[in-house]
Amino acid sequence: MQNNLVLDFDGTLVIENSTRVLERIVFNSYVGKMPDAINWIFFGAGSFYISALSSILGRVSRRHIDWRFLIFLRIVGGHTSQRIDSMFDDAASRLTLNARLLEDFASNDRIMIISCGLAPMIDSFVRRSLIDAVLLKGSKFTERSSGKISVELLEPRDKISVLLGIPTLEYVTDDTREAQLVAKNLKRSNGLSAHVSEAGGIYRVTST
């Protein structure tokens, strides 16, 4: 029986980190002149500082989410010259399908995606690329009529809780730590045999 194929999105199904692509688009559409310091912190040599702050927030809160993106939204959210849904489409058009997974697309009737990335952008990419895939779970992003933005970001443990409910799983990711964690939880929680293999920077977790 064929395993249920589930793919991570950023760095796996697509080569880029889709949220970083979106940040640049949002930044460029900012209404008015953005201070040079913000560009330096998020996109220049000062990105070290925002990475350090994100790491501190993760340790203090014990939540492993994309703190950089939340900080970015706090600064620029609601002050852009175009609607965020059009920016999702713009970002999706700049993402590159990972050619190393073409064999997977050809040999599987349907592909499932689970990601901490933003669900609207993943949906937009799937529509544009015409691949037969369904998004199981992604981070929620809502733009209200007032212009305020609501974000509910997933953590890796949220992904794992979904993966544990999928029988005969093959999970594909570019993150070796995540692959090992998924395999460990499959063995511990489901009593399954789980094997991790690697080829070209892509890790596959196969359960039986």
Side-chain angles (χ1 to χ4, degrees), residues 176-196:
T176 179
R177 186 170 177 271
E178 181 180 69
Q180 296 294 340
L181 195 58
V182 169
K184 179 181 177 180
N185 277 271
L186 285 170
K187 293 174 183 177
R188 183 177 60 189
S189 300
N190 291 2
L192 297 173
S193 173
H195 172 69
V196 178

Side-chain angles (χ1 to χ4, degrees), residues 36-51 68:
D36 290 338
I38 301 301
N39 184 47
W40 181 77
I41 288 173
F42 282 97
F43 306 108
S47 60
F48 164 80
Y49 296 102
I50 201 69
S51 297
R68 169 194 160 117

Side-chain angles (χ1 to χ4, degrees), residues 136-185:
L136 292 179
K137 200 171 184 67
S139 293
K140 296 180 181 179
F141 190 106
T142 306
E143 183 181 21
R144 298 171 183 164
S145 56
S146 63
K148 283 195 170 185
I149 291 171
S150 173
V151 182
E152 185 180 333
L153 298 180
L154 294 186
E155 300 181 62
R157 63 186 177 188
D158 298 320
K159 296 170 66 176
I160 290 173
S161 65
V162 175
L163 292 171
L164 290 178
I166 302 174
T168 57
L169 168 73
E170 181 176 359
Y171 177 60
V172 183
T173 177
D174 68 315
D175 188 335
T176 179
R177 186 170 177 271
E178 181 180 69
Q180 296 294 340
L181 195 58
V182 169
K184 179 181 177 180
N185 277 271

Side-chain angles (χ1 to χ4, degrees), residues 15 27 32 37 39 60 70 74 78 82 89 100 102 104 107 118 124 130 147 155 162 171 181 197 199 203:
I15 295 173
F27 180 87
N39 184 47
V60 171
L70 290 184
R74 180 61 64 91
Q82 56 181 304
D89 290 338
R100 288 177 293 177
L102 291 178
D104 292 298
S107 59
L118 300 169
S124 179
L130 301 179
E155 300 181 62
V162 175
Y171 177 60
L181 195 58
S197 59
Y203 300 86

Side-chain angles (χ1 to χ4, degrees), residues 1 7 11 29-30 32 43 67 82 89 94 101 125 137 149 156 194 205:
M1 182 174 64
L7 304 180
S29 71
Y30 188 82
F43 306 108
W67 287 103
Q82 56 181 304
D89 290 338
R94 304 184 190 203
L101 300 180
F125 178 81
K137 200 171 184 67
I149 291 171
V205 183

Side-chain angles (χ1 to χ4, degrees), residues 19-20 23 42 50 54 57 61 63 65-77 118 140-141 149-153:
T19 305
R20 302 290 87 87
E23 285 175 352
F42 282 97
I50 201 69
S54 299
L57 289 171
S61 67
R63 295 191 65 208
I65 59 176
D66 191 349
W67 287 103
R68 169 194 160 117
F69 185 58
L70 290 184
I71 296 168
F72 179 81
L73 285 180
R74 180 61 64 91
I75 295 172
V76 306
L118 300 169
K140 296 180 181 179
F141 190 106
I149 291 171
S150 173
V151 182
E152 185 180 333
L153 298 180

